[in-house]
Each structure stands twice: as C-alpha cells, then as structure tokens.
Amino acid sequence: EHLFISPSLKHYNRDFFIFLHLIFLLISYLTFEENKSRDSDAILSRLQTEEWKGIMQIVFVMYHYFDAAEVYNMIRVFIGAYVWMTGYGNTRFFIRKSVFNINRLFGMLFRLNWLVFWVCLLLNQPLMLYYICPLHTFFFLFCYITWGICYKYNDKKYVKEIKLILSGLFLFILFEINDNIFYIF
C-alpha cells in the first residue's frame, strides 16, 4: 500500500504516444542553438551528451508513463547508451580535472541516490524498480576507482590504456564468469 498516492491504471494509445514524441521533436528543433562551448570540437562534447541524455530521459518517462511495451527493445538500447555516455562523461572529467576528493565522491553518491531513496521509501517500492540509480552508482564508483588509483600517473604513456584493459577484464570476470566468485554482488 502506498503512503500518499495510489498507482493509476496505464492506458497506451500508440497514436497519442507518437504524437507526443513528434511535438517534442518539433519543440527541440525550434529551440536548437549552435554549440559554442569550449569543447564543441570534441567527438562528444559535454553539451551534446547532456542533450542526448535529456532526450532519452523524456523518452524513458513517456515509455514508463504509457507502458509502451512495443518500444521496450529501443529503451534497452537507450539505457545502454545512457550509461555509456555517463561513464564517458565521468571518465573525461576525472582524466581532465583529476578531482578525486571526498566532496566529489559523496556529492555524486548523494545526487544519484537521494531522490530514489525517498521515492522507494514513501511509495513502498523495491529498489530494483529504479535499477538505473544503482547501475549509475556502480559505474560512477567504477570510474572513480579506475581513474583515481595512482591518478598522478594517468598522463604517463600507456597508463590509461592499461587501466582500460584491466577495468574491462574486471567487468568481464564480474559479469561473464558464471561462478560463485562474486557471490556478494
């Protein structure tokens, strides 16, 4: 039972769902501006990745609001892209700024988890319903640890490459080896 509000029945109307997305695209086009930021010539500038993540967040909300099961596979791809772009942004930040202080760590953990904590508590929902927050928390900590270990050497030859290979190997072992090695996860 929910403490404040009860869930409503979801009604999916494909035409209305598509119409809302078209309206959203029109508004996006009408508010288009040139990227004049410092890193506008980067392969993926921060402004560009933030824009894409914002678009995907709107699609996520509409998908869940309308329970649009027919776009489930596209949403899975978007979630993978969203997590990748977040990791890319964190990696660029850590490599460029070398800020690994406790304020950055706890500030990000707070931002990633505070709202979801209260939503789960007040609506009596399991955390897995909002799995994206623990997923982002894991990969933020993963980037923080990967780039924070011996961070003063990140600019040395082959250090980034070695760290990427070792972190990829760790993820492979963690998610692909079907054994009880990582039972605690």
Side-chain angles (χ1 to χ4, degrees), residues 99-150:
V99 176
F100 297 96
N101 60 37
I102 202 79
N103 290 339
R104 172 75 180 172
L105 176 65
F106 285 117
M108 280 297 292
L109 293 177
F110 178 83
R111 285 180 16 210
L112 288 169
N113 296 292
W114 185 246
L115 178 63
V116 134
F117 167 78
W118 287 107
V119 168
C120 289
L121 184 69
L122 295 175
L123 298 179
N124 196 25
Q125 295 292 329
L127 182 60
M128 279 311 292
L129 187 61
Y130 305 98
Y131 67 91
I132 197 74
C133 292
L135 184 64
H136 278 290
T137 300
F138 172 80
F139 280 107
F140 167 75
L141 290 171
F142 186 72
C143 288
Y144 186 86
I145 292 167
T146 298
W147 301 113
I149 293 174
C150 300

Side-chain angles (χ1 to χ4, degrees), residues 16-66:
F16 188 61
F17 183 74
I18 292 171
F19 172 74
L20 285 178
H21 279 86
L22 292 174
I23 293 295
F24 167 67
L25 286 174
L26 177 66
I27 292 169
S28 297
Y29 178 74
L30 293 174
T31 59
F32 177 79
E33 291 181 10
E34 183 181 349
N35 181 359
K36 296 178 181 175
S37 64
R38 275 188 304 130
D39 66 346
S40 63
D41 61 339
I43 294 173
L44 285 174
S45 69
R46 179 179 174 142
L47 192 62
Q48 183 180 18
T49 57
E50 295 296 324
E51 183 73 20
W52 288 357
K53 289 191 308 187
I55 290 169
M56 286 189 280
Q57 286 175 1
I58 290 171
V59 174
F60 296 154
V61 168
M62 289 172 49
Y63 161 75
H64 285 290
Y65 182 81
F66 288 103

Side-chain angles (χ1 to χ4, degrees), residues 36 47 58 76-77 110 112 118 142 152 155 159 177 180-181:
K36 296 178 181 175
L47 192 62
I58 290 171
R76 299 281 66 108
V77 172
F110 178 83
L112 288 169
W118 287 107
F142 186 72
K152 293 179 180 175
D155 291 333
V159 170
I177 293 186
N180 291 330
I181 295 172

